[in-house]
């Protein structure tokens, strides 16, 4: 598949396409990867449930006329293949498990409780491999980002009425603030960099990502079968990926767009998350008492 992307798209766009679809950013290059970090856009080239949902959803259009249980079986098979294809990392396993649970909930006409799905998936993964909890930054960030998306993003959305809903801009802003605030202490501890231009960069880049992912995936599949046809089919992906790359490089060149933070102890990170969790639990208990 990655070779198919390289047949269909020139560098560094093939590397970006590989990153946004299957989380493989090895051919993206250090300079461009650093630009994504400085602009707070690194999350788009890290495999997540969002990537998996879009790709699996596109593949399931092939069986749209079958029964819901047949679609569920096909979807789970695609998820398993996707997890294996992307190296079965902790991040892809978590995303795959949650996507599979969501798919099962849809076809069985049940409510998908994302908190329970995340807790069950994370617990199973830690029990299977305890070192994941402390020594796998991808797993740590993906769990925190999911928590931020579910619990923190709605809080921000209430105060973002001034942002229009067109092109999902308000939802993107809320999701960006929610996930970024959730991962911020750990991310700053890990990379020592704080992006202050993350919000505008995400607002301008993220609307193009879903279509870029779908067109890139199609280009990669076709390019793996025929290089010439892949090049032709890859033209829409090339246009969208060019937009993302040039905008990222533009934001990365903004003076003081990212601030380097001195090294600090992991205990500070633990303390911050402990305090935030305690505040959230107290607020929830207070709301339940008043209601």
């Amino acid at each position: 598949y990655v070779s198919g992307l390289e047949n269909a798209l020139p560098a560094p766009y093939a590397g970006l396409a590989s990153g946004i679809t299957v989380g493989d950013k090895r051919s993206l290059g250090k300079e461009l990867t650093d630009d994504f970090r400085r602009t707070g856009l690194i999350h788009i080239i890290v495999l997540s449930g969002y990537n998996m949902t879009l790709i699996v959803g596109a593949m399931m259009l092939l069986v749209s006329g079958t029964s819901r249980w047949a679609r569920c079986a096909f979807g789970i098979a695609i998820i398993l293949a996707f997890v294996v294809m992307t190296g079965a990392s902790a991040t892809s396993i978590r995303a795959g498990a949650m996507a599979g649970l969501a798919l099962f909930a849809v076809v069985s006409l049940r409510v998908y409780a994302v908190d329970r799905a995340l807790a069950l998936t994370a617990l199973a993964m830690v029990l299977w491999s305890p070192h994941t909890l402390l020594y796998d930054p991808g797993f740590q960030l993906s769990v925190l980002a999911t928590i931020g998306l579910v619990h923190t993003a709605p809080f921000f959305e209430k105060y973002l009425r001034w942002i229009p809903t067109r092109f999902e801009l308000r939802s993107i802003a809320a999701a960006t603030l929610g996930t970024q605030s959730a991962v911020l202490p750990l991310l700053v501890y890990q990379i020592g960099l704080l992006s202050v231009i993350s919000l505008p960069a995400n607002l301008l880049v993220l609307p193009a990502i879903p279509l870029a992912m779908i067109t890139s995936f199609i280009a990669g599949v076709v390019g793996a079968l025929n290089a010439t046809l892949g090049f032709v089919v890859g033209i829409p992906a090339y246009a969208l990926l060019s937009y993302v790359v040039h905008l990222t490089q533009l934001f990365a060149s903004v003076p003081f767009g990212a601030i380097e933070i001195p090294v600090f102890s992991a205990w500070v990170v633990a303390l911050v998350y402990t305090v935030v969790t305690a505040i959230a639990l107290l607020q929830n208990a207070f709301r339940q008492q008043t209601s």
Side-chain angles (χ1 to χ4, degrees):
Y1 170 73
V2 173
S3 297
L5 285 173
E6 292 171 350
N7 289 335
L9 298 164
Y13 309 111
L16 177 57
S18 180
I20 64 175
T21 52
V22 294
D24 183 0
K25 51 184 181 292
R26 289 173 297 178
S27 58
L28 192 58
K30 183 180 183 302
E31 185 176 348
L32 189 54
T33 301
D34 288 341
D35 287 344
F36 278 102
R37 287 197 180 96
R38 292 182 62 84
T39 55
L41 290 167
I42 190 68
H43 60 91
I44 70 172
I45 56 174
V46 176
L47 187 65
S48 67
Y50 181 65
N51 306 58
M52 195 167 295
T53 299
L54 277 180
I55 300 302
V56 172
M59 293 293 291
M60 287 186 66
L61 292 175
L62 300 173
V63 293
S64 58
T66 61
S67 69
R68 67 174 187 265
W69 288 107
R71 293 197 303 273
C72 179
F74 180 78
I76 289 175
I78 293 297
I79 289 170
L80 289 173
F82 196 82
V83 170
V84 172
M85 182 176 74
T86 54
S89 65
T91 305
S92 65
I93 291 173
R94 183 207 61 77
M98 293 191 67
L101 288 171
L103 185 62
F104 179 76
V106 170
V107 299
S108 61
L109 305 180
R110 295 174 181 269
V111 175
Y112 179 58
V114 64
D115 284 331
R116 295 180 183 179
L118 177 61
L120 181 63
T121 301
L123 178 61
M125 292 180 65
V126 171
L127 289 176
W128 178 264
S129 181
H131 82 280
T132 301
L133 182 63
L134 294 178
Y135 302 111
D136 192 324
F139 171 77
Q140 297 163 2
L141 291 171
S142 67
V143 170
L144 288 171
T146 304
I147 293 173
L149 186 63
V150 174
H151 293 288
T152 315
F155 169 80
F156 283 109
E157 191 161 8
K158 293 188 298 184
Y159 298 96
L160 296 175
R161 305 291 183 189
W162 50 276
I163 297 180
T165 57
R166 193 175 184 181
F167 303 118
E168 298 294 325
L169 289 179
R170 187 184 299 171
S171 297
I172 290 172
T176 299
L177 291 171
T179 54
Q180 293 290 316
S181 61
V183 303
L184 185 61
L186 181 60
L187 192 62
V188 171
Y189 169 74
Q190 290 176 349
I191 67 175
L193 207 62
L194 174 63
S195 175
V196 296
I197 54 173
S198 174
L199 182 58
N202 276 272
L203 284 174
L204 290 174
V205 167
L206 288 190
I209 294 301
L211 193 55
M213 288 174 60
I214 297 299
T215 53
S216 296
F217 182 73
I218 294 171
V221 172
V222 175
L225 300 175
N226 185 286
T228 303
L229 187 58
F231 176 79
V232 175
V233 172
I235 291 175
Y238 173 78
L240 290 163
L241 295 168
S242 297
Y243 168 78
V244 173
V245 167
H246 287 103
L247 206 58
T248 300
Q249 291 173 331
L250 178 64
F251 273 101
S253 64
V254 174
F256 308 107
I259 302 172
E260 291 189 7
I261 306 297
V263 177
F264 54 90
S265 171
W267 289 107
V268 175
V269 180
L271 178 62
V272 169
Y273 281 117
T274 300
V275 172
V276 170
T277 302
I279 293 173
L281 292 174
L282 288 172
Q283 286 181 335
N284 187 51
F286 178 75
R287 280 197 300 266
Q288 289 179 348
Q289 288 179 354
T290 54
S291 61

